[in-house]
Every structure is written in C-alpha cells, then in structure tokens.
Amino acid sequence: MMKPLKMILCMLLLVAALPSYVYGANDAADLSYRVDITVTDRSGSPKSSFDVGEEIFVKLSLAYTGAGKAPVYGFQGKLQFDSYVLKNTSVTMEKDISMKYADGVINYVFLDMSANGKDDTMLKNIGTAVFQARNNGTLDFSLSNFLITNKDATLRNIEPFEDVQIVVGSGIKEASKSSLFEDIKAAKAYLASVTIADNPKAIYYPDFWYSTTSAQNLRSVISKSEAVFEKEHALDSEISEAIEKLSIAFSNFENSKIVGPKRWVVTDEDSKNKLNYTVKVSVKGGNGKIAEGFENQTIRATTSATIRMIPDEGFETEYIFINGEKFIGRDIYTIPEISSDTTVVVTFVRKTPFTDIAHDDWFYFSVRYAYNAGLFTGTSETKFSPSGKMSRAMLATALYRMENQPNVEFAEVFSDVQSGRWYSDPIIWANQSKIVNGYGKGIFAPNKSITREQIAVMLYRYAKGKGLDLHTEISSLSFKDANKISAFAKESIHWAVSKGIMNGNSDLTLNPSGLATRAEVATMIQRFKDLE
C-alpha cells in the first residue's frame, strides 16, 4: 500500500512543479501589471494642489495584477507633463533604469544585456522625478509607450492607466506668459529641426540651411526671452516686449534661409530638352576667390544655384553682378531660379575697422562704401559714430573727395573759413562750384550740424554741376510735414525723393529741418553715387 501512495505523492509533486518549470522557460504565466503614479510634497505627503515655487515629487512604480512573476528583461515608458506649469529639476535613477528629460517628457528605459534578467523588485520603484511649480495652471501627469518585454522580446500586459491631475496656484494660466512660453518652445523646436552650417558645399539635403551667425542671433533672443519667462514677477510690459522681440528675431531667422541647388541625376532626356544651364562665376579686382566647385556649375532649369565666396583676410563680398545686374553681396549667395546660362561677376571690398556698426544695420553697406571710397573717416580708429551729427564742413569735404580733391586757390569768401583748416579747400571749392552759398553776411558756419533739406540742396546743386538728369517724376509730396520744407529747398527735395536719394520716415514724415546723422548722410551719398 505504501508503494502506490508514494507513487501518487511523487506524481502530485511533479505536477505541482511542472507549471513553475514551464513558466521559467517562458518567463511566467499570467503576467500583468498596473502603473502607479504617486505625487507628494517634500515631506512625502500625497498632494494634488501646490503653491507656485513648491517642490513636487513624482514616483512611478509597477504592481502585479496577474498571478505570475518573472525577471525583467526590458522596460520603457514616458511621463509627460506641462513644462509651462512645472520645471523638471532632477531625476533619481533606480535599479539601472535610465531617466532622461526632454521638452516636457521624462523617458524611462532599461535593457538587460546579460540575458538573465533583473530582479522584479526593481519595478516597485522605477524612479522619482523632482519638479518645481513655476506658474499657475492645471496639468495632468500622463503616461505613454509603457511596455515590459519578455526574454524573447515579446510584450507583457500592462493595464490601461489613468492620468493624475494636479493644480498649481490659482490653476489658471496667465495668457501672456503662456503665449511667450509657446513662442519660445516653437522657436527652439524649429531651430532644432533645421540645418545650421557655413559650408553648403557638403549639404545636398535638405536643400536649404541657415548660417551659424543667424542661428546664434536667434538663440540669443530665445535666451533673453527665457530669462523673462523664468522671472517670477515679470511685468506685463516685459512679457509683451519679449514676445515682440522673439517674433521679430524668428522672422529674421526665417528670412535668412539659404536655398541651395536641388541635386538629382541628369538624364539624357533632360540634356536633349535643354533643361540644364551653366552658371559661370569669376572675380573682378581680386581680394578674394570663388570656393572650389562653385566656379562652374550645371543647374537644372527653374532651380536655384548657390555660390560661395572666400574673401581674403580683411575683405568681404561687396557686389554680385548676375548677367550685369548688381546685387548686394554676401559670402554665401543663392540665385533663386536659373532660367538661362548665367554669368556671375563678384567684387570684394575691404571691411571697415568700425566696431560700432554691424552687418545687419540698415546703413552698413553705405558706411562701408563711404569708408572705402575715402569720403568719410571714423570719429576714431575704431568708431564711426553712425548716430553722430554731420557738420556742414563734413558734407562739403565728402563731395570734394568725390571729385578727387581738385586744386583750389584759397579765397576769403567766408569770414569763418580761414586758410589751412582741414575743411578750407573743400568749402571754397563747393562755393566756387555753386554748391554752397553760406548763410549770408560772409558766414558759412562750418561746424554747424547740417539739416536734411540742406543735404538735398547741396546734392542737387552738385548733380547740376555734373550735368546729371534733374528731371523729377513727382509733382507733389505726400509727407505729413511737406508744408515745413523751406522755400529754398523744395525743388531739391522733390528731386531727391524722386530719385530715391531721400526717403521718408515710417510715420510718413520727411523731417526736412531735422539734423542728419552720419549714417543717413553716408546712405544718401551712396544712393546719389548710384545715379551716375
């Protein structure tokens, strides 16, 4: 009797052990989990409502809901939150689980490389993320992409989970600050999505990129906007200004896009139908060269062609002449559309030594022209003082230099212009050339700041003496302050406006009696020079 009983007992023990053996080979049976989110304050007390500035601790864990248990071979998941309301300050890694933060998402990742798996106790504390409540608002901690894998990489079951909501402060977002935050986020996302480079020769896809300088300019404004956003008691005016500046900076960045040539294999059919054109580039006057590979290009019709210039040390690209038409030069230049065989001629010019002007200033190219033509010097070796006032003697001197400084026999025309001064010959020449008359009674006032209408008069008389076209195409001026133009200057200003030498202000005024800056005079002189 004992023997049969022993056999039955052995059979029962074997049957009891069998499921464990099978489960071990296949990880486990009935594996299922629930994700738990625990939100507490610094003391560890569960909370759902916090004050601005308070720390928030978010712990994730997984609990079994099925009957089986097994080692963990792979694990991943995402905790998502509103980064406007909360700022992630730290994460605590547990049991070899990696936790990384990126733009409102914390990623949890674990992968066992030993094939033996990790003890499932690791699931009881996946990790803790620490946040600081920085703005009023209501948000949900939500989970996505949560999964646990078996040894053979198949997935275990994780039950659906519910979001956990918390309230910070009033629970209502501030509209203007929220708008600034969204703008910052959008600008950073766009910046991260595009190609930033200064050597487009190696870039064929995508077919556009941005220079490092333009990217740095946008990053700088983004950084300043973030400083305003992070300011606890930022004024509405500060937020509005930050939004406006970021909008302008983003627009400028988009407009700085460099479009390169679209590259594809040219077929025999393309060649037969003349779908390709040549772009030949050369340099006039030296001081630089065309980058290798850009001197001669074959471009498919209707697509763009990019040219890269390499100026010598101390020089930069001045002008680019495309089939004879002149354009302001850049060291990287894109012709938007090629529709015929194209000849390009590039000129280079010496950079100015002035540290108070920048390439993006509206007057930069005019100041560079005036400096290189020897018409203007700086107020010091490194300063141009673009906002400084221009004297009457300075303008007379610039025009005198435009005429290559002809010989002048000094005459005592003005009592305040003595022989031997830096402006003596220019003023006497200007008087003899019927460009200036002075204020009457023998007074010229060489050091007096010149007005905009006086500049127009001097340029008009100079043009007349050179025999240039003085015909105007406008009969009246639409500026709000046109009635304030002095009688002696009306004809000259009509001519200057008609020729594009003088423009009005954004408020539709001309400001004829306003004092002209050095930058304005340089600009008007260059526009005048372009008429010749």
Side-chain angles (χ1 to χ4, degrees):
M1 185 69 178
M2 290 294 295
K3 188 173 182 179
L5 286 174
K6 287 182 179 179
M7 290 181 62
I8 292 170
L9 180 60
C10 287
M11 289 292 292
L12 290 173
L13 290 172
L14 180 62
V15 171
L18 184 61
S20 177
Y21 173 80
V22 173
Y23 298 159
N26 297 285
D27 293 319
D30 192 21
L31 285 173
S32 185
Y33 303 86
R34 178 186 72 251
V35 183
D36 292 324
I37 302 177
T38 305
V39 181
T40 68
D41 60 14
R42 173 172 280 279
S43 68
S45 301
K47 287 180 66 174
S48 60
S49 180
F50 297 84
D51 296 327
V52 173
E54 192 173 356
E55 280 191 310
I56 302 171
F57 296 78
V58 180
K59 176 182 174 181
L60 263 63
S61 59
L62 270 78
Y64 284 107
T65 59
K69 293 186 177 182
V72 180
Y73 297 94
F75 166 81
Q76 74 176 44
K78 292 182 179 182
L79 173 67
Q80 296 172 305
F81 61 95
D82 188 339
S83 53
Y84 166 80
V85 181
L86 299 185
K87 181 179 182 179
N88 176 240
T89 56
S90 67
V91 292
T92 303
M93 293 181 289
E94 298 287 345
K95 304 290 185 180
D96 300 318
I97 296 177
S98 171
M99 300 171 64
K100 295 182 180 179
Y101 167 71
D103 195 24
V105 177
I106 295 178
N107 291 278
Y108 301 80
V109 179
F110 165 73
L111 180 62
D112 173 54
M113 303 303 293
S114 68
N116 296 320
K118 289 286 184 179
D119 191 290
D120 61 1
T121 56
M122 70 183 301
L123 301 179
K124 294 179 180 179
N125 186 5
I126 294 172
T128 300
V130 184
F131 301 89
Q132 183 180 38
R134 61 178 177 183
N135 285 300
N136 296 314
T138 301
L139 70 106
D140 290 333
F141 285 113
S142 60
L143 306 174
S144 65
N145 297 342
F146 260 81
L147 56 87
I148 299 178
T149 57
N150 293 314
K151 187 174 182 178
D152 61 359
T154 56
L155 299 182
R156 300 176 183 175
N157 179 59
I158 299 180
E159 295 182 356
F161 31 73
E162 295 183 1
D163 295 347
V164 175
Q165 187 177 87
I166 68 167
V167 176
V168 173
S170 67
I172 302 173
K173 291 183 178 181
E174 300 172 53
S176 59
K177 203 169 187 183
S178 178
S179 178
L180 173 60
F181 177 76
E182 293 302 323
D183 288 349
I184 291 171
K185 207 160 76 166
K188 290 174 73 173
Y190 186 77
L191 193 58
S193 71
V194 298
T195 300
I196 309 296
D198 288 323
N199 182 10
K201 182 178 178 181
I203 300 171
Y204 297 146
Y205 182 84
D207 59 2
F208 68 88
W209 58 92
Y210 298 86
S211 70
T212 54
T213 299
S214 63
Q216 287 167 355
N217 291 338
L218 179 57
R219 288 192 187 103
S220 175
V221 178
I222 289 174
S223 178
K224 292 175 182 176
S225 299
E226 287 180 317
V228 173
F229 175 75
E230 295 290 349
K231 189 174 180 180
E232 187 174 351
H233 300 295
L235 300 175
D236 288 343
S237 58
E238 292 178 295
I239 295 172
S240 297
E241 183 180 6
I243 290 173
E244 182 178 1
K245 286 184 176 180
L246 182 56
S247 175
I248 293 171
F250 185 74
S251 178
N252 289 340
F253 180 72
E254 283 190 304
N255 292 336
S256 71
K257 178 189 290 186
I258 304 167
V259 180
K262 296 180 181 177
R263 311 281 178 156
W264 53 70
V265 177
V266 178
T267 65
D268 293 336
E269 188 68 21
D270 291 339
S271 301
K272 183 174 66 175
N273 294 330
K274 189 56 178 175
L275 294 181
N276 303 290
Y277 295 104
T278 60
V279 177
K280 296 184 177 181
V281 190
S282 61
V283 173
K284 180 180 178 181
N287 302 318
K289 63 181 181 180
I290 308 303
E292 183 182 352
F294 291 87
E295 311 98 318
N296 294 287
Q297 301 182 55
T298 300
I299 303 296
R300 182 160 177 163
T302 74
T303 63
S304 60
T306 293
I307 307 162
R308 184 178 178 221
M309 278 60 74
I310 304 178
D312 291 344
E313 183 69 27
F315 287 81
E316 62 188 5
T317 307
E318 180 186 27
Y319 294 115
I320 295 176
F321 297 85
I322 302 173
N323 291 334
E325 188 176 357
K326 185 171 76 173
F327 298 89
I328 292 292
R330 298 275 182 174
D331 292 349
I332 299 174
Y333 191 89
T334 297
I335 305 172
E337 184 175 309
I338 301 299
S339 56
S340 65
D341 290 334
T342 302
T343 299
V344 180
V345 178
V346 177
T347 61
F348 296 97
V349 67
R350 187 176 298 278
K351 293 179 180 178
T352 75
F354 307 128
T355 58
D356 56 350
I357 64 173
H359 209 276
D360 292 332
D361 290 332
W362 62 268
F363 51 76
Y364 177 83
F365 302 109
S366 298
V367 171
R368 185 183 67 184
Y369 159 76
Y371 168 77
N372 278 281
L375 305 181
F376 282 26
T377 57
T379 54
S380 73
E381 290 186 0
T382 58
K383 301 291 184 182
F384 181 76
S385 302
S387 299
K389 302 308 176 188
M390 187 83 171
S391 71
R392 288 163 54 79
M394 287 178 183
L395 181 55
T397 301
L399 298 181
Y400 178 64
R401 290 170 177 168
M402 286 172 68
E403 280 298 292
N404 298 316
Q405 307 182 66
N407 292 326
V408 174
E409 184 176 342
F410 183 78
E412 293 185 358
V413 180
F414 303 109
S415 60
D416 54 355
V417 179
Q418 291 82 32
S419 177
R421 301 291 179 88
W422 62 268
Y423 52 70
S424 301
D425 285 354
I427 291 175
I428 299 306
W429 165 82
N431 176 256
Q432 293 172 351
S433 302
K434 299 181 180 180
I435 297 172
V436 299
N437 297 323
Y439 282 97
K441 297 182 181 181
I443 301 297
F444 181 76
N447 296 318
K448 187 172 183 179
S449 295
I450 196 166
T451 65
R452 288 166 56 83
E453 63 182 8
Q454 288 172 351
I455 296 170
V457 170
M458 290 178 68
L459 289 176
Y460 179 79
R461 291 173 179 170
Y462 178 57
K464 186 175 183 180
K466 293 179 68 68
L468 299 181
D469 179 21
L470 300 179
H471 173 70
T472 59
E473 299 178 355
I474 57 176
S475 56
S476 62
L477 298 174
S478 57
F479 301 106
K480 295 177 181 178
D481 54 355
N483 62 333
K484 296 181 180 180
I485 300 171
S486 301
F488 75 90
K490 286 184 177 180
E491 183 179 16
S492 300
I493 287 185
H494 268 78
W495 166 81
V497 172
S498 174
K499 298 299 183 182
I501 296 171
M502 182 177 286
N503 296 327
N505 301 313
S506 58
D507 60 354
L508 300 179
T509 61
L510 192 63
N511 193 22
S513 60
L515 302 181
T517 65
R518 288 166 54 81
E520 288 176 328
V521 175
T523 301
M524 285 188 269
I525 285 180
Q526 186 190 27
R527 291 171 182 167
F528 173 86
K529 193 66 178 176
D530 288 342
L531 296 178
E532 296 184 323

